[in-house]
Amino acid sequence: MEEDTTWEQRLQALTHILTSPTTTPSLHSQFFISTQIPCYLDWEYPPILCTKHPSMFPSLHLRWGFSLFLKRVRRFGLPETSWRSKCPFQQPPPLILANGVEEARWEIEQRKEYVRKRLSRKRLESDVHPLIPILIPNLLLFGLLLWDPFLD
């Protein structure tokens, strides 16, 4: 946040963000946040009321547009997801579900089926034969016994 904002403005903006979480804020919400923190470049809407450094090149709006472009290019245009996107049973539910995650169903039978499906998944283990991690280092050491790399 910018240094020219007061703690009251920061607190009001944070309260507003926490009480209305969304990835597509309304125009009223964008205007309110821009009046509280006018020069914050990391959000999805332009810093409309920023009067700081008006003659600076590149302009604040150009820098905001370029940073928004880079954020979208980095994600290949896909929506932004987080760890909450993988947890469908969170309250409130995530705004965007991650790929492969089904929407939460709260009936008892559906929750039981969800748990059974989670428990019946293949365990996270490697498909490497258990003797290979033992044999390869031992064969390398045996090879060093037969071939001395540090000959005089």
Side-chain angles (χ1 to χ4, degrees), residues 60-133:
L60 184 64
H61 292 121
L62 184 62
R63 286 189 296 149
W64 170 80
F66 188 67
S67 69
L68 184 67
F69 172 74
L70 288 179
K71 279 194 284 187
R72 291 186 181 175
V73 165
R74 186 177 45 209
R75 293 190 316 255
F76 300 109
L78 298 172
E80 192 169 358
T81 59
S82 68
W83 63 269
R84 291 193 79 240
S85 305
K86 299 174 185 166
C87 307
F89 288 97
Q90 285 241 323
Q91 284 298 326
L95 297 171
I96 301 171
L97 285 175
N99 287 341
V101 178
E102 300 171 0
E103 190 174 335
R105 295 183 179 87
W106 291 97
E107 290 78 33
I108 293 174
E109 287 301 318
Q110 290 172 331
R111 282 190 288 169
K112 286 181 183 177
E113 181 184 334
Y114 177 78
V115 170
R116 279 190 210 109
K117 189 166 65 170
R118 289 290 300 259
L119 292 177
S120 68
R121 286 184 185 165
K122 182 183 173 209
R123 294 196 181 267
L124 185 63
E125 58 188 30
S126 66
D127 293 331
V128 177
H129 192 276
L131 288 178
I132 290 178

Side-chain angles (χ1 to χ4, degrees), residues 1 4 10 27 29 36-37 54 58 62-63 83 85 99 142-143:
M1 289 189 188
D4 59 349
R10 293 178 188 185
L27 188 60
S29 176
Q36 299 300 311
I37 305 165
L62 184 62
R63 286 189 296 149
W83 63 269
S85 305
N99 287 341
F142 184 68

Side-chain angles (χ1 to χ4, degrees), residues 7-88:
W7 280 104
E8 289 177 30
Q9 289 174 317
R10 293 178 188 185
L11 185 62
Q12 288 175 353
L14 183 63
T15 303
H16 177 73
I17 291 168
L18 291 176
T19 56
S20 57
T22 180
T23 56
T24 55
S26 65
L27 188 60
H28 168 71
S29 176
Q30 294 177 28
F31 183 74
F32 175 74
I33 294 296
S34 69
T35 58
Q36 299 300 311
I37 305 165
C39 295
Y40 202 54
L41 289 177
D42 293 336
W43 290 347
E44 296 293 322
Y45 44 88
I48 300 167
L49 302 175
C50 186
T51 56
K52 194 173 188 179
H53 307 295
S55 62
M56 189 173 79
F57 182 81
S59 71
L60 184 64
H61 292 121
L62 184 62
R63 286 189 296 149
W64 170 80
F66 188 67
S67 69
L68 184 67
F69 172 74
L70 288 179
K71 279 194 284 187
R72 291 186 181 175
V73 165
R74 186 177 45 209
R75 293 190 316 255
F76 300 109
L78 298 172
E80 192 169 358
T81 59
S82 68
W83 63 269
R84 291 193 79 240
S85 305
K86 299 174 185 166
C87 307

